[in-house]
Amino acid sequence: MNRADFPILSEKVYNRELVYLDNAATTQKPQVVLDAMMYGYTHFNANIHRGVHYLSQVATAHHEEARERVARFIGARSGKEIIFTKGTTDSINMLAYSFGEAEVREGDEIIVSYLEHHSNIVPWQMLCERKKAILKVIPLKEDLTIDVEAFRALLSDRTRLVSIAQVSNVLGTLNPIEAIIRIAHERHVPVCIDGAQSAPHMKIDVQELDCDFFVCSAHKMYAPTGLGVLYGKEQWLQSLPPAEGGGEMIEHVRFEHTTYNTLPYKFEAGTPDFIGTYALAAALDYLDGIGMDKIREHERELTRYCEEQLAGIPEVVVYAAGQDKYGAVSFNVRSERVIHPFDVGTLLDHQGIAVRTGHHCAEPLIDYLGVPGTVRVSFGLYNEKEDVDRFVEALKKAIGMLE
Ligand code: 7TS
């Protein structure tokens, strides 16, 4: 789908046509996004908000329009609820600091799940260390799905926040976040959704989900890198303290006392990536132009097809096999033993197939699977069945060489 819009996909690697199947790590950029970056630097590069001059006003207007564009894309009530950050990791760290300062005391509890990316574990661990709070972990069922009943039992009067991924970056599976949010809210516990792996693949509506916070990365959504979003319900963002100090986040600065800016600027210290936000808006226009539902169905179909093809190779073990997947499939090759995923990845790479191998920054889940890592193929909107065919053919060749 729309492959011709992505110039990098015509690159050759090792003199072969590139098959890019590492989209969960980062996505390639369509020409409209590359053009937006170039347009921004060519026509309105000037620092925003602080300038009276023409270029600064144009740059500010584009940046604020981009904020409204993001709000529409994820169904937020307004741009006041959209904080621009450096990415998902930065968003979660910012939230862990800000929420932690205001809401977490000694003996309180934060809940995450077993299959989180390190970005949704370590910032909470650091908070727990700082505050002498306790990190609790929702276990998985045998089929690697989230154990919702176990989650219900983990909630207590000391639970302050639940933070969980919508889609697993390793398994590609969709977590039951509607149930998690409903059950948490019955106990008046707020929920943060890590949307790094869902926002690129499906329509997001934070109001319908009723999550309290939602985070994602622009670079996984066909937009520039170094940019992300922290969505928070306005009443939460109003009450939480800023995580970082500096320019722009202030109202007045006196040595005796500083007062803070209004939302969303209270959380945005320093010069933001205002060219990146302009290009992000172009990426979101591009995605909506195709239609997020169409993208979701196209990628679901690709993962289904990929699993079908892998099922025909006896040495391949797919994780969470048979479950609906949103963009990613993880597997290993076993003959006498598990062949190290790095070896499989290297042999695929030499045939022009870009996949990711290792723990995918989710070591607890990989330990739970009892393997050194997995090989992960992950799809973007531009992938086609022919990419799967070329990958499967290359994998069969690799297995032949390794056995
Ligand atoms: N959360 C999830 C679920 C992710 O998949 C990732 C990145 C992050 C958070 C962190 O995002 P960042 O943009 O701040 O780095 N996941 C991956 C991956 O699976 N392979 O490379 C990066």
Side-chain angles (χ1 to χ4, degrees), residues 47-319:
N47 207 334
I48 57 168
H49 292 144
R50 281 159 265 186
V52 289
H53 65 80
Y54 178 83
L55 280 189
S56 175
Q57 288 178 32
V58 174
T60 304
H62 283 312
H63 183 67
E64 293 309 324
E65 276 163 26
R67 195 190 302 281
E68 296 301 325
R69 186 69 189 87
V70 172
R72 279 205 307 285
F73 191 76
I74 65 166
R77 279 165 207 80
S78 81
K80 274 195 224 170
E81 298 183 317
I82 303 298
I83 317 290
F84 284 121
T85 66
K86 290 184 287 191
T88 301
T89 305
D90 190 38
S91 299
I92 297 176
N93 275 282
M94 200 181 264
L95 181 64
Y97 185 82
S98 172
F99 187 90
E101 284 310 292
E103 301 286 330
V104 179
R105 320 249 171 284
E106 185 169 347
D108 284 347
E109 296 162 359
I110 304 286
I111 298 180
V112 298
S113 92
Y114 218 104
L115 49 64
E116 300 307 314
H117 187 280
H118 297 163
S119 298
N120 199 26
I121 299 174
V122 184
W124 303 115
Q125 263 177 337
M126 290 163 72
L127 163 64
C128 287
E129 236 166 75
R130 227 169 35 241
K131 294 284 179 164
K132 299 196 176 65
I134 300 153
L135 189 70
K136 290 189 158 183
V137 184
I138 313 171
L140 304 179
K141 294 198 283 196
E142 210 158 293
D143 62 358
L144 303 177
T145 60
I146 297 281
D147 189 336
V148 176
E149 284 318 304
F151 165 66
R152 194 191 290 277
L154 278 184
L155 284 163
S156 81
D157 293 342
R158 301 306 301 268
T159 311
R160 291 292 163 261
L161 184 101
V162 179
S163 192
I164 182 166
Q166 188 166 9
V167 168
S168 159
N169 70 312
V170 178
L171 304 172
T173 46
L174 189 64
N175 288 326
I177 60 162
E178 284 87 354
I180 299 277
I181 293 167
R182 183 173 33 78
I183 293 166
H185 283 178
E186 282 166 11
R187 306 284 296 255
H188 306 290
V189 174
V191 180
C192 170
I193 298 299
D194 176 350
Q197 298 295 345
S198 57
H201 301 295
M202 62 186 69
K203 176 102 200 84
I204 301 296
D205 188 330
V206 289
Q207 285 189 67
E208 200 178 301
L209 285 173
D210 199 27
C211 55
D212 301 272
F213 305 98
F214 184 93
V215 295
C216 57
S217 292
H219 72 94
K220 295 187 199 286
M221 302 166 74
Y222 309 94
T225 190
L227 179 64
V229 170
L230 166 59
Y231 156 84
K233 281 183 182 168
E234 189 177 338
Q235 61 268 38
W236 270 118
L237 295 181
Q238 289 292 4
S239 77
L240 293 179
E244 295 175 346
E248 199 56 41
M249 52 74 72
I250 51 88
E251 181 192 30
H252 292 295
V253 176
R254 300 289 177 272
F255 284 116
E256 300 72 33
H257 181 65
T258 288
T259 51
Y260 302 133
N261 206 337
T262 52
L263 285 181
Y265 312 109
K266 178 173 88 171
F267 289 97
E268 293 182 354
T271 301
D273 183 2
F274 51 84
I275 303 291
T277 57
Y278 178 71
L280 171 61
L284 301 185
D285 285 346
Y286 178 81
L287 291 175
D288 276 341
I290 299 170
M292 288 311 292
D293 289 343
K294 196 170 157 196
I295 290 171
R296 186 194 60 201
E297 287 318 308
H298 174 72
E299 293 169 345
R300 266 169 96 189
E301 179 55 28
L302 280 179
T303 54
R304 261 197 298 266
Y305 179 69
C306 181
E307 264 202 68
E308 268 169 37
Q309 301 303 306
L310 289 175
I313 310 176
E315 294 91 341
V316 168
V317 184
V318 172
Y319 298 100

Side-chain angles (χ1 to χ4, degrees), residues 17-28:
E17 266 176 52
L18 167 68
V19 176
Y20 186 76
L21 295 176
D22 192 20
N23 293 282
T26 200
T27 50
Q28 302 302 348

